[in-house]
Amino acid sequence: MRAILAIDQGTTNSKAVLVSEKGEIVGRGSAPVGITYPKPGWVEQDPRRLYASVCEAIDACLNAAPDVAVEAVAISNQRESVTAWDAETGEALGPVVSWQCRRTAQDCERLTVEGHLHRVQALTGLPLDPMFPGSKFRWLLDRIPAGRSVRLGTVDSWLVHCLTGGRRHACDASNAARSQLFDLREQRWSEELGEIFDVDIALLPEVLDSSADFGRTQGLPGVPDGTPIMAVIGDSHAALFGHGAFKPGDGKVTFGTGSSVMTTLPRFIPPRNGVTTTVAWRLHGKATFAFEGNILVCAASLPWMAGILGLSDVAALVELAASAEQGGPGFVPAFVGLGAPYWNSDARALFSQINFNTTRAQMARSVTDSIAFQVHDVIAAMRAQSGGELGALYVDGGPSQNRFLMQCVSNLIEHPVIQCEAPEASALGAAYLAGLSLGLWRDLQVIAELPRSSHIIDPEPVDRAVLLNTWNDALARSTARETTANDE
């Protein structure tokens, strides 16, 4: 059997799946990546360990399906995480500075004070926030010794470098669109943005379509040298593509460490209301655009709360939460500030409206509900901006498999969500793009008609006004700044 090997390199784990010509997953493997927090608000990973985890995931996947022949490789990857390496030796010249990292918050504040915010948003669709790579690239460059031949890139370009034995320095348009150095309308690296962030754009990778020839494998264990890499795309974009969300208004919510809410657009629409505009994917030189809202902490709060309550695992936490009625305390998971639609780096995690009657179950429920509240706020911002109807809304990622959590989301947004049984939506999307390159699938219509197992969760009536009042009160407390003597 022939299949496409799809890599899904995420924040917590690297995964690999084998996708057949029928669009079916015939092999799986995964490996942990590892993540460190060297200072408050700092989040980073080891680029060498990141690539090693990819190799381990591939090894496990191939061992699970020994009779499968790999026809091509596809990549989906965590976005907005960046690193630097030596172009000649391949030596890592810094950590992978994570998308969650807030180390450049002061740099972003300075750029805002200098008056660059509106121009950056106009060119890139992104706000001046430390989540995005522009300021992080500069941070890396400031710590590289003089005289090195430097390459800069997002995780996809690091993987392309590693998989091709250093022969290619390339990324796709979806990842470039998240870099803060890419002009969305012109679809190219911007000299103006390079000057704003003080980054030499010559160090950045070549930008290709999401379905394109990214080179040939070299030295990848278990995969024959010369195997083509035929697709690269950011993981959230890949999930949108994997669901077949090709009509304007169709969208998806990916639940993971953080969360990405994305809806397909009919054309480029400038961002406002706290959401971003991005390239969903690019085919044949033409970009498809999307709205996106990036939630910094989503499922990451669940194991934390399970530990606080002395529970065995996340499943026990969700079970406890489901036993409580809504209407307890509020919880804001602003462990590293807040992303869309608030974009507040100073926000702090907190519980609100706790009293002597508050139970462990209510505490658990407030944490699980925070996932739904954040999605609600992003969807509301998108609806206010687009003026169009929300179409089919798919959910993916580990937490999406839990009916209780997804019912809470559907109730709050007052819209059905489509729960997909296969959690590997990002890997499937990357594989479908590679299949387009290979001619396995003729066009988007054929991909949209591939069999998918799913379940529709319709909204149930809840007192949304009361619930949102509690949430908004907690948000106000989380984002409030106390006046100190230094402020006066």
Side-chain angles (χ1 to χ4, degrees):
M1 178 189 294
R2 299 185 305 164
I4 295 168
L5 174 64
I7 298 164
D8 179 17
Q9 200 299 299
T11 307
T12 306
N13 295 288
S14 292
K15 301 175 183 177
V17 301
L18 288 164
V19 182
S20 74
E21 295 178 68
K22 296 180 180 179
E24 299 171 340
I25 293 176
V26 295
R28 293 176 170 88
S30 66
V33 181
I35 193 163
T36 58
Y37 307 90
K39 295 181 181 180
W42 289 36
V43 187
E44 65 186 39
Q45 295 173 298
D46 182 342
R48 294 154 297 194
R49 172 57 206 160
L50 186 148
Y51 179 60
S53 72
V54 168
C55 294
E56 292 166 12
I58 290 173
D59 182 63
C61 180
L62 296 178
N63 286 336
D67 297 328
V68 173
V70 176
E71 186 165 352
V73 175
I75 298 170
S76 74
N77 60 280
Q78 60 167 304
R79 307 165 308 147
E80 294 105 15
S81 298
V82 298
T83 193
W85 61 96
D86 191 296
E88 297 174 357
T89 68
E91 176 190 357
L93 299 177
V96 173
V97 182
S98 171
W99 60 272
Q100 289 184 303
C101 189
R102 314 301 287 176
R103 72 185 64 190
T104 59
Q106 290 185 345
D107 297 312
C108 293
E109 290 175 4
R110 173 181 54 80
L111 291 169
T112 299
V113 170
E114 291 174 357
H116 296 297
L117 172 61
H118 296 300
R119 186 58 178 162
V120 169
Q121 284 185 314
L123 292 174
T124 71
L126 305 173
L128 275 171
D129 185 87
M131 173 181 174
F132 301 106
S135 57
K136 293 188 286 196
F137 278 133
R138 184 64 254 169
W139 186 93
L140 286 165
L141 288 171
D142 286 339
R143 286 152 183 82
I144 296 174
R148 304 301 292 261
S149 179
V150 179
R151 283 180 175 175
L152 292 174
T154 43
V155 166
D156 62 319
S157 57
W158 168 244
L159 292 180
V160 168
H161 166 85
C162 294
L163 292 169
T164 61
R167 288 173 172 78
R168 291 297 299 273
H169 187 37
C171 70
D172 94 298
S174 74
N175 279 288
R178 310 303 291 176
S179 70
Q180 255 181 349
L181 295 168
F182 191 70
D183 187 319
L184 290 188
R185 289 185 177 85
E186 297 293 330
Q187 289 289 296
R188 60 174 176 79
W189 298 123
S190 166
E191 292 278 1
E192 180 182 354
L193 291 166
E195 292 176 1
I196 289 173
F197 290 101
D198 193 19
V199 173
D200 182 358
I201 62 172
L203 307 179
L204 299 169
E206 177 186 5
V207 181
L208 305 178
D209 286 352
S210 306
S211 179
D213 187 346
F214 286 84
R216 301 293 185 270
T217 60
Q218 182 69 39
L220 178 61
V223 177
D225 286 352
T227 301
I229 304 168
M230 300 304 289
V232 169
I233 187 169
D235 53 9
S236 288
H237 315 249
L240 191 70
F241 195 90
H243 290 305
F246 303 139
K247 298 177 182 177
D250 286 352
K252 63 92 206 181
V253 185
T254 297
F255 295 92
T257 304
S259 188
S260 164
V261 185
M262 191 177 284
T263 56
T264 308
L265 295 174
R267 64 191 184 283
F268 175 81
I269 300 177
R272 58 183 176 84
N273 295 335
V275 297
T276 65
T277 303
T278 193
V279 173
W281 49 77
R282 196 173 78 185
L283 299 173
H284 310 297
K286 181 179 179 180
T288 294
F289 294 99
F291 279 150
E292 183 172 15
N294 303 100
I295 296 168
L296 300 183
V297 175
C298 176
S301 62
L302 302 182
W304 170 81
M305 192 60 189
I308 294 292
L309 294 177
L311 299 171
S312 58
D313 54 25
V314 168
L317 176 77
V318 175
E319 182 179 359
L320 178 63
S323 71
E325 295 290 335
Q326 286 186 301
F331 172 70
V332 181
F335 295 97
V336 289
L338 287 171
Y342 329 101
W343 298 114
N344 190 320
S345 296
D346 294 326
R348 292 296 176 262
L350 57 77
F351 288 93
S352 70
Q353 300 189 30
I354 296 173
N355 56 51
F356 284 123
N357 293 320
T358 300
T359 66
R360 295 170 75 250
Q362 287 176 322
M363 297 286 284
R365 181 69 185 255
S366 68
V367 172
T368 59
D369 280 352
S370 71
I371 294 173
F373 283 124
Q374 292 183 100
V375 172
H376 166 273
D377 288 359
V378 172
I379 292 289
M382 289 178 173
R383 282 169 160 164
Q385 182 169 352
S386 70
E389 292 294 324
L390 184 63
L393 184 64
Y394 303 88
V395 294
D396 61 75
S400 72
Q401 300 304 294
N402 186 280
R403 172 64 187 249
F404 166 72
L405 294 176
M406 295 305 100
Q407 186 68 64
C408 291
V409 172
S410 178
N411 294 348
L412 270 178
I413 66 174
E414 297 183 293
H415 192 84
V417 301
I418 304 172
Q419 188 181 39
C420 302
E421 293 183 9
E424 300 93 349
S426 294
L428 282 169
Y432 294 160
L433 284 161
L436 282 177
S437 295
L438 296 171
L440 296 183
W441 300 295
R442 184 178 65 253
D443 53 28
L444 298 187
Q445 183 62 37
V446 173
I447 291 173
E449 293 173 355
L450 289 172
R452 295 171 174 85
S453 295
S454 61
H455 177 73
I456 297 176
I457 300 176
D458 290 311
E460 298 173 346
V462 295
D463 194 338
R464 294 173 66 255
V466 171
L467 299 176
L468 289 170
N469 281 341
T470 300
W471 166 249
N472 288 326
D473 173 72
L475 268 181
R477 296 172 188 274
S478 172
T479 56
R481 293 187 62 185
E482 293 185 3
T483 301
T484 67
N486 292 332
D487 294 325
E488 296 175 349

